[in-house]
Amino acid sequence: MIKITDLVVALTYDLKMLEDMVAKRLHIEHSRIERISITKRTVNARNKEDIHFDMTVVVCISGDENEVIAMNRNKSISQETELIYTVPTIKKLKERPVIVGCGPAGMFAALILAQAGARPILLERGLDVDSRKRKVLNFWRTGILDTQTNVQFGEGGAGAFSDGKLKIGQKNCRKMKVLNEFVQAGAPPEILYLSKPHIGTDRLNDTVKRIREQVISLGGEVRFKATVTEILIKDGQVTGVRFEEKGKNSEVSTDNVVLAIGHSARDTFESLLNSGVYIEQKPFAVGVRIEHAQEMIDKIQYGGFAGHPELGAADYKMVVHLQNGRGVYTFCMCPGGTVVAATSEENRLTTNGMSEFARDGRNANTALLVTIGKNDLDNDDPLAGCAFQRRIEAAAFAAGGGGYKAPVQRLEDFLQKRKTTAFGDVLPTYLPGTEFAELDSFLPEYITHSLRQAILEMDQWMPGFAYPDALLTGAETRSSSPVRITRGDSLEAIGIKGLYPCGEGAGYAGGIISAAVDGVLCAEQILG
């Protein structure tokens, strides 16, 4: 296969246009092209008068490919090797491995183990994705929270209610394995080549369900409403797992546990710490959600091309490094999306953002986050970051007046340090409802000070970002885990054989793809 990396392609391209461009670039006859596959497509909007796609393609041709590459002598033309993942051959396992948590990390650990014939047992404290969706929608409508099944807990993990954005980076065989499994389970095929792919919350549900069905069909077992209460350890070796399932205490014997518990399993962190598992503090971030009209973001990013059907809803990403040493950045940007209630604990409030596949909502939203380090915490307790998050969530709940209503403030009012009394052009998308409140009433001063500085700097990069009627909703506290369950080169927890801390909750991933790949890696270690 031949890879071509710098094709400049019009927004309205078709296959014939691509074939013509490839034949011209390779200096070959059109008839020699057998197949073209797009491997990367990025919107280039640097020049608002000439927005186009930058594209990488892989081409199969008849005849000698090396001869064509040598003839062209161009850095953008090279030999390409297909990235193929091979499931490891199973070694003999004494007992069935157990996976705790059914987010991306746990789901893909279970899938690889099942495909290898290891018949894993997956324990998830929440409900299956269909039942979970009903619980979450009811919470958003009524404010009635189920602490075991919500935006954080349940099949699919936290990512199931945050747009299904996939941060790919440099592709390798494990990432391609994850992407291909998603596509085979019903995800849109374009996730294989878009530079910023997403599945959409509405389509991710069915995708997750089909992966679970595959695990079961291969001899695996998936148990919902199964909350792990203790990892059993003897002489530095995992021996089993205790869990509460549908109100009854149960126990399963195993010598391999993948701990893919997610960043919000605070009760499990406490249990692990009490069992002697080594946990350490990790930097994280806290902030708010900011909403603009999507139409406005489209015009800022695409100019006269705004609304072009091939571009869809525009997104953005910004990072600011302030003189006070803090970083402030946008995170989990949701074009045409909604701000959602994402708490998992009573009388505490945290937000997230999500989009459906169409990304056709009236507002765009993103998290605006300020970095938090060890110096911001009260003590050296490994769980001090969890306590920090909880204090802000409790204060945000109070500022919203209870009932999981979120405190909101117009951007202009926030910058002027005054309470909002009426909405402007931008109306909130958050449910169960909102209440006007000053962000300073629930966020530490150094966070709000950093946000004010950063917003004005971001407006220099993206004029219009500091729009007076943009809406700030708080608080955003669960963007990443505040702890790391430390592991060694074998991916096992320090001093505990057979315990594999995995994914975002353990501090080793930062999104759906990286968490899923970490699950694959842990499964490989178990399989030897």
Side-chain angles (χ1 to χ4, degrees), residues 488-510:
D489 294 340
S490 66
L491 306 189
E492 292 166 301
I494 297 296
I496 304 175
K497 188 170 178 56
L499 182 63
Y500 296 87
C502 182
E504 195 162 338
Y508 293 98

Side-chain angles (χ1 to χ4, degrees), residues 45-176:
R46 288 188 289 270
N47 180 356
K48 298 295 188 290
E49 302 300 317
D50 180 29
I51 295 179
H52 58 269
F53 294 125
D54 290 336
M55 196 175 290
T56 297
V57 299
V58 169
V59 188
C60 292
I61 66 170
S62 60
D64 191 335
E65 293 182 347
N66 290 325
E67 182 182 358
V68 172
I69 293 170
M71 176 183 68
N72 281 280
R73 295 181 182 179
N74 190 316
K75 291 182 179 179
S76 68
I77 300 172
S78 62
Q79 188 75 36
E80 175 74 349
T81 302
E82 189 173 1
L83 297 172
I84 299 176
Y85 181 84
T86 303
V87 176
T89 303
I90 187 172
K91 70 175 184 180
K92 188 174 182 179
L93 299 178
K94 294 179 181 178
E95 297 175 291
R96 296 172 70 180
V98 171
I99 297 97
V100 183
C102 195
M107 187 166 56
F108 273 87
L111 181 62
I112 297 300
L113 289 167
Q115 289 176 345
R119 300 174 59 242
I121 300 170
L122 195 157
L123 305 177
E124 166 56 49
R125 72 195 300 163
L127 291 170
D128 66 274
V129 71
D130 289 330
S131 303
R132 180 188 183 196
K133 184 176 181 180
R134 291 192 291 271
K135 286 273 187 181
V136 169
L137 292 177
N138 184 63
F139 171 52
W140 290 345
R141 286 193 300 264
T142 67
I144 299 173
L145 173 68
D146 185 324
T147 58
Q148 297 301 307
T149 300
N150 44 63
V151 170
Q152 304 298 341
F153 302 142
E155 185 178 22
F161 288 93
S162 63
D163 185 86
K165 285 176 287 295
L166 309 176
K167 294 188 291 183
I168 307 299
Q170 187 66 37
K171 290 180 181 177
N172 57 43
C173 64
R174 292 185 182 91
K175 289 180 181 178
M176 290 308 300

Side-chain angles (χ1 to χ4, degrees), residues 382-460:
L383 304 185
C386 296
F388 181 95
Q389 291 174 326
R390 278 173 160 161
R391 285 195 297 272
I392 290 177
E393 292 168 14
F397 182 85
Y404 301 99
K405 291 184 177 180
V408 296
Q409 191 173 15
R410 285 177 63 250
L411 178 54
E412 181 181 43
D413 296 329
F414 172 65
L415 295 175
Q416 297 296 325
K417 297 186 178 182
R418 67 191 181 206
K419 186 174 180 179
T420 297
T421 56
F423 292 116
D425 295 341
V426 182
L427 299 178
T429 56
Y430 177 96
L431 293 174
T434 60
E435 191 74 24
F436 292 131
E438 296 186 56
L439 303 190
D440 295 86
S441 68
F442 59 89
L443 290 173
E445 188 276 335
Y446 58 83
I447 292 181
T448 54
H449 177 72
S450 296
L451 287 172
R452 288 184 175 98
Q453 284 188 306
I455 287 168
L456 296 177
E457 280 200 39
M458 289 176 176
D459 191 64
Q460 298 298 310

Side-chain angles (χ1 to χ4, degrees), residues 187 288 330:
V288 295
T330 63

Side-chain angles (χ1 to χ4, degrees), residues 203-219:
R203 296 184 66 169
L204 191 58
N205 288 351
D206 287 340
T207 302
V208 166
K209 185 167 31 175
R210 292 190 183 106
I211 292 174
R212 179 233 302 167
E213 290 169 349
Q214 184 183 163
V215 170
I216 294 172
S217 71
L218 293 170

